[in-house]
Amino acid sequence: MNMLKISNQLYYTVRMLNLDLIKSRKSEHQIWDAKRAKNAALSLLPIIGWVKIYQIKQWLLGDIVSGISTGLVAVLQGLAYCLLASLPVRYGLFSAFFPVIIYFFLGTSRHISVGPFPVLCLMIGSVVTRLVPDGGLAMNITGLEGLTIDEQRVVVASSVTFLAGIIQLAMGVLQVGFVVMYLSDTLVSGFTTAAAIHILVSQLKFVLGLQVPGISGPLSIIYTLEIIFNKITSTNVCDVVIALVIMVVVFIVKELNDRYKSKLPVPIPIEVIMTVIACGVSYAFDFRARYGINTVGDIPEGYETPMAPNLHIIQLTAGDAVPMAIVGFAVAFSVAKVYSVKHDYTIDGNQELIAFGVSNIFGASFRSFAASTALSRSAVQESTGGKTQVAGLLSAIIVMIVTLSVGFLLDPLPTSVLGAVVIVNLKGMLMQFREVPYLWRRDKPDCVVWLGTCILSIFLGLDLGLAAGLGVELISVVLRTQFPRCSVLVNIKGTDIYKDRKDYTNIYDPEGVMIFRIPSPIFFANIEFFRTKLVEALGFNPLRVLRKRNKAVRRIRKLLKKGELQWTSTGFLNTSFKPIKESEDESNMEELDLPTDFKDLPARIDWNAELPVNLSVPPVEIHSLILDFAAVSFLDISALTGLKTLLRELIRVEVDVYIVACDSYILEKLHDCSFFDDEVQPSMFFLTLHDAMLHILEKHPESTEKKSDHDMVRSG
C-alpha cells in the first residue's frame, strides 16, 4: 500500500511538472510569436515606428508648412508632367494623390515627395503614343472599343502602371532590391541627362504652340525635331512670349532661392505664383480666343470610379513595364538614401519596393500613372521643414482640394506655361553634362559608360537606351576585371611597406627577387592575361626555358656517351673540337615539360654558368617570386588549373614561388580541389608580404650582399 501511494504521488508530481513545462513552453512560444508579429508589422507598416516617436511640438508646424508648399508644387508639376505622358492634365493630379496616400503608410523614407517623375512620365508617354497614336488605335486592343482617344490612352497608362507596380511588389517580396545596385551613379546620370533632352524636345511643341504628333521608338527624337523644324513658320508668337517670360522669371527666382536659402524661411514658390498670374492674365485678355493659344481647358471635378487593368495591354507592354519599375525605384531610392544619411535614419530597399509597388497598383486602379519622386519636389518638402510623411499626406490633401473644388480655375491656363515650367526644372539634369570632363580626367571607363548610356538613350529611346547602357556598364566591368593593372612592387627603404615600383625612387629592391601584384579576381577570362603580364615582368617564359634546358640536358647526355664531351673540374670540355649543334630531335616532346632530370650526369648543371659552345639556354635571373594575392577575391576552376600549371613551370626552372595575403576562403578552396602536390606545396603561402621577403633574404643572403650600399629592409 505504501509503495502504491508513493508511486501515485510520483505520477502526479511528474504530471504536474510536465504540465508546468508545457505551459512555460506555450508562454515562450506566445512571446516569440508576439515578437515576430510585432517585427512583421513594423516591417510592413513603417509608419508605426516613426509615429511612436513623433514630436508634435517640434515637428508638426514644419510638416504643415512643408505639406502646403509641397502640395502647391505637386499640383503644378502634376499638371505639367502629365503633358509628358500624353494624357489629359487632370490625371496628373490623380498621380500626385493616390500613390502618396499608400506611401504614407508603407514607405520608409520620411522626406521624399512621391508623385509624377518626368522621366517615368516620358516613358509612359512613349508607350501611350505607340499603342494609341493621334490618329487612333495602332492595333486592335480588346476592351478599348467605343472609347475616345484620351480614354484609351488613360487605360493604356493605367495598365502599364499596374504591371510596373506588380513587378516592384514582386521584387520587394522576393527581396531582390539589390538589383538596382547594377545601375551605377554614372549610368543613372547619363540616362537622366538623355531623358532631360527627350523631355526638352517633347515640350517644344507646347512652347512654340505647334501641333506635333507623339512619336515613339528609336530615333523618335530626330523625327520629332524634323516635324518641329518643318512647322516652325506656324509658331504661335504669344505662346513663345509667355513661355520665355515664365522661364526667365522662374529661373532667376530659383537661383535666388538657392543663393539665399539660409536666409529664407521657405523657398519662394515662384512656379505657383507665375502660374496663377499667367492664368489670370490669360482669362482677363482671353488669350485662347484672341491669339489661338492652347489652354488646359475644363478639368472635371472629383475622381472617377476604380477600373481593372486591361490584360491585353499588359501583354503588349510587359517589356516596357520592367525598365519603368526599375528606373522609378532606383531614382526614388537614391534620393531617399541622400536624405536618410543627412537626417540619420535607415531606409529599407525591399520595403521601398513594396511601398512603390502597392502605391502604383492602387493608383493605377484609380487611373493614375507610375509614381516615383521628383528631385525638385522632394527638395521643397525637405527644405521647408518637413520631418515626416505627414508633410506628404498634407500635400496630397492640397492636391485633393484642387481636384475636388478648384480645378475649374485652371481652365484658361496656357499649356505653354506648363511646358516652360517643365523645361526650367530640367536645369539640374541638363547640368550633369559638366560631369563629362571630370570623368574623362579621373576615370575614362566610367566616362565611356556615361557617354554611351546618354547617346544610346537619346537615339534609341529611354527603354532600349537603358538596356544598352546597362550592357555598356557590364562590359566595362568585365574588361576592367579581365585586363587589370598588374604591377611590380618594391620595398620602401627602412619600412615594411611595399608599393608600385613606378611610383617611388627611394626603394630597396634586392636582386633576384620580384613581387608581382594581381589586383583582381582570377578566373577563366583573365588567367591568360595574368600569365602574359607575369611573363613580361619576369623577362622570360618559364615553359620555354624549361624546354630549352631539357633539350640541352638531352644533348649533353648524348655527347657524353659518344665521348665528344667530357666533365672536368672546371666544367664541360668539348673533346671533338667541333661546334656542338643544338639538338633537332623532336621525339618525346612531352618529356620536355617535365622537371629537368640530371641522373647519369656527373654533376648538376649550373644554368647561369658558361655552357658548352652553341648550347644556349635563356638566363633566369630571378630566384624568388612573390605573388601578392591581397586583392584576389576568388578563383574559379579554370584559374586554379592555369595557376597550378604556371607555378609548376616556375618551380621546375628553379624559381621559388611564394603567395602572400591569400584569403582563407581561397586557401580552403585550394585544399578542397587537391591543388597541392609534391611540387606545389602549402609551405609557399605566407601571411604577409613582409614575412615572405624576410624569409627570402634569410634563404638568399647574397641578394642583400650584392646591394650592400642600399638600406636593408626593416626586419621588425
Side-chain angles (χ1 to χ4, degrees), residues 560-610:
L560 287 172
K561 287 182 178 180
K562 292 180 180 180
E564 297 177 4
L565 196 66
Q566 289 184 356
W567 173 257
T568 66
S569 59
T570 57
F572 288 105
L573 177 65
N574 185 2
T575 57
S576 66
F577 303 102
K578 296 179 182 178
I580 299 175
K581 295 182 181 180
E582 191 169 343
S583 174
E584 300 294 334
D585 183 11
E586 298 296 332
S587 61
N588 297 323
M589 290 295 293
E590 296 83 2
E591 294 181 3
L592 298 180
D593 294 343
L594 298 177
T596 305
D597 184 8
F598 293 103
K599 69 179 182 180
D600 300 332
L601 293 181
R604 189 179 182 88
I605 299 174
D606 181 3
W607 297 109
N608 291 322
E610 186 177 353

Side-chain angles (χ1 to χ4, degrees), residues 662-683:
C662 184
D663 188 90
S664 57
Y665 160 76
I666 295 178
L667 200 55
E668 183 180 345
K669 185 173 183 179
L670 296 179
H671 281 286
D672 293 341
C673 295
S674 302
F675 183 78
F676 301 107
D677 54 24
D678 293 337
E679 291 180 285
V680 181
Q681 298 180 352
S683 58

Side-chain angles (χ1 to χ4, degrees), residues 4-18:
L4 182 61
K5 287 182 180 180
I6 293 171
S7 63
N8 286 337
Q9 288 176 353
L10 286 173
Y11 169 75
Y12 285 118
T13 302
V14 171
R15 186 176 179 184
M16 293 300 295
L17 288 173
N18 287 336

Side-chain angles (χ1 to χ4, degrees), residues 125 195 227 285 315 567:
I227 295 172
F285 293 95
Q315 293 174 359
W567 173 257

